[in-house]
Amino acid sequence: MGSTFSAENRDQVVEAVAWAAAEEQPLEILGRGSKRALGRPVQAAHSLDLSKLSGITLYEPEELVLSARAGTPLAEIEAALDAENQMMAFEPADLAPLLGTETGNGSIGGMLACNLSGPRRIKAGAARDHFLGVESASGRGEVFKSGGRVVKNVTGYDLCKLLCGSYGTLAVMTDVTLKVLPRPQKTYTVLLLGLDDATAVKAMSRALGSPHEVAGAAHLPAALAAGSEVSYVAAAGGAVTALRLEGPGPSVEYRCAALRRELADLGETEELHSQNSLTFWRELRDVRPFWTGSDRAVWRLSVAPSLGPEVVASIAEGEAFYDWGGGLVWLALSADGDAGAARIRDVLQPLGGHATLIRAPAEVRAAEAVFQPQDPAMAALQARVKEGFDPHRILNPGRMYAGL
């Protein structure tokens, strides 16, 4: 029978990991459990629960820096930032509803461990680009620190970048430090109506190449647009291509009008303002179009933007929508068999890009490659990194790749 260790401070984390290393007993590392179904099922009988390792340890709004213990709920951090009219600019996704758990329950450590970033990534960068410092326990039960409170504080190896996106397989983060930014005064969204996928990608490319500082570019086919909670989008009666503009009010209004004029040759345009605009991008951030139909697998494909429509057409199954100007494709299809894994990998192999299986039954995630299969050189490098941080292979074993 497995045990659950609950840690309230760094010393208890180190004690649990040191015991696991000495006994060579694998541990499943849990922040608040909201992303437990993301990745391969962990091959561990014991778990380390960090939900009590919580609380903001430092927040200096004037310095745009925040530190928190790894188990701190994202909702608590966002509330503190909202009070100062600030934000995490990389717009972390809340995938809990997509994965079948309660919204708003993710932790800051879990978000960084999965490198979750939303639609603003095309302008502001990924979560790892805002990750300034970390305190962690390695798989040996040894504490190490990396980075600090400013961007230029890194000397030697930038371990924050390495740990971000490692899914808890290299170390247990106990305290993290992030760069935060002021929240935009205004957020408008230009909507282009009725475009097919290929034309939409060309429109998004034009907009992103313009001088108007587009902070989000996405495309929803008609069926998915009809399910939006934003009435203007749901009632559009066709596909919707969305371009987000942020900043001071007069600037946003000017850029919005200019962008509509420049794209008028593509068809009818509309605008979303204020709350409607915020709601729409939150829906895309959290992949709300695929919350229903939990029996379907959900894939995240990263491709060259110009190739997105070709990839979707070649797969010829399921439903898809586009983010990051077409470079990110969210795809939902039947979870039967291999959940489309063989077909998707075959399509991507000659075109480039990679695919991650975000939602599928546990038996499918155990049998298929959830993350993009690695070439031998990259697999050998990852194995050496794992050996360096976690020689006993006790931290989230198998979460990313079998045997690691």
Side-chain angles (χ1 to χ4, degrees):
M1 185 75 177
S3 304
T4 298
F5 302 94
S6 181
E8 298 183 18
N9 54 53
R10 183 191 68 186
D11 292 343
Q12 290 177 356
V13 171
V14 172
E15 182 181 356
V17 174
W19 171 86
E23 299 294 326
E24 296 192 354
Q25 291 290 325
L27 287 174
E28 180 182 15
I29 312 303
L30 297 172
R32 307 187 73 83
S34 66
K35 291 172 283 296
R36 200 172 190 176
L38 181 58
R40 301 181 72 253
V42 173
Q43 301 153 9
H46 307 284
S47 60
L48 175 57
D49 181 354
L50 303 179
S51 60
K52 294 182 180 178
L53 185 67
S54 181
I56 296 172
T57 55
L58 176 144
Y59 179 31
E60 297 181 354
E62 65 282 1
E63 299 295 334
L64 301 176
V65 62
L66 179 146
S67 298
R69 298 183 181 92
T72 307
L74 276 176
E76 180 179 333
I77 290 172
E78 288 171 343
L81 293 174
D82 283 344
E84 298 292 337
N85 202 30
Q86 294 182 346
M87 65 176 182
M88 290 178 280
F90 54 91
E91 205 171 7
D94 181 359
L95 297 183
L98 182 72
L99 299 173
T101 58
E102 184 179 354
T103 186
N105 197 39
S107 68
I108 186 68
M111 178 270 293
L112 290 169
C114 299
N115 192 30
L116 296 181
S117 309
R120 200 182 285 108
R121 179 175 179 173
I122 57 174
K123 181 182 179 184
R128 59 167 48 97
D129 299 309
H130 299 254
F131 191 7
L132 299 179
V134 65
E135 177 187 79
S136 298
S138 73
R140 294 183 174 88
E142 299 170 343
V143 175
F144 65 91
K145 296 181 180 181
S146 178
R149 291 172 50 188
V150 295
V151 174
K152 295 184 179 180
N153 199 55
V154 175
T155 57
Y157 294 111
D158 187 354
L159 298 183
C160 293
K161 299 289 193 296
L162 183 65
L163 296 182
C164 194
S166 67
Y167 284 75
T169 60
L170 299 179
V172 183
M173 291 185 281
T174 56
D175 197 277
V176 300
T177 300
L178 295 172
K179 174 179 65 177
V180 298
L181 289 175
R183 187 176 298 281
Q185 183 185 82
K186 292 288 185 181
T187 299
Y188 282 12
T189 301
V190 172
L191 301 180
L192 298 169
L193 307 180
L195 304 186
D196 59 55
D197 291 5
T199 305
V201 168
K202 292 177 181 178
M204 290 188 285
S205 179
R206 279 174 57 180
L208 289 168
S210 75
H212 303 309
E213 298 185 28
V214 173
H219 174 71
L220 285 171
L224 297 180
S228 174
E229 288 190 338
V230 179
S231 59
Y232 291 100
V233 176
V240 170
T241 307
L243 306 165
R244 178 169 58 183
L245 301 167
E246 300 175 325
S251 171
V252 170
E253 292 172 6
Y254 174 83
R255 287 182 286 133
C256 188
L259 190 59
R260 290 185 69 176
R261 288 194 301 270
E262 292 174 20
L263 299 177
D265 60 302
L266 296 175
E268 183 183 356
T269 65
E270 260 297 349
E271 290 181 17
L272 297 180
H273 296 171
S274 306
Q275 193 57 47
N276 280 334
S277 191
L278 296 174
T279 298
F280 176 78
W281 289 101
R282 187 164 54 245
E283 290 180 348
L284 293 183
R285 181 199 72 179
D286 298 342
V287 201
R288 190 181 185 279
F290 294 152
W291 285 7
T292 58
S294 58
D295 57 328
R296 295 192 298 173
V298 175
W299 288 84
R300 173 177 153 157
L301 315 181
S302 180
V303 298
S306 61
L307 295 178
E310 180 182 347
V311 167
V312 171
S314 298
I315 294 170
E317 296 180 53
E319 292 183 296
F321 70 92
Y322 304 81
D323 201 350
W324 298 355
L328 176 64
V329 179
W330 288 98
L331 173 69
L333 69 173
S334 171
D336 293 341
D338 68 352
R343 177 65 176 159
I344 290 169
R345 308 268 184 225
D346 286 346
V347 169
L348 288 182
Q349 197 279 328
L351 298 174
H354 58 82
T356 302
L357 181 56
I358 298 295
R359 183 181 73 191
E363 59 270 20
V364 176
R365 291 184 287 111
E368 302 299 329
V370 170
F371 298 91
Q372 185 70 18
Q374 297 177 318
D375 61 54
M378 184 61 70
L381 175 60
Q382 180 152 344
R384 291 198 298 273
V385 173
K386 176 72 169 177
E387 182 70 20
F389 281 85
D390 182 22
H392 303 288
R393 300 194 175 189
I394 61 168
L395 302 179
N396 276 354
R399 180 75 183 269
M400 297 188 74
Y401 298 96
L404 287 179

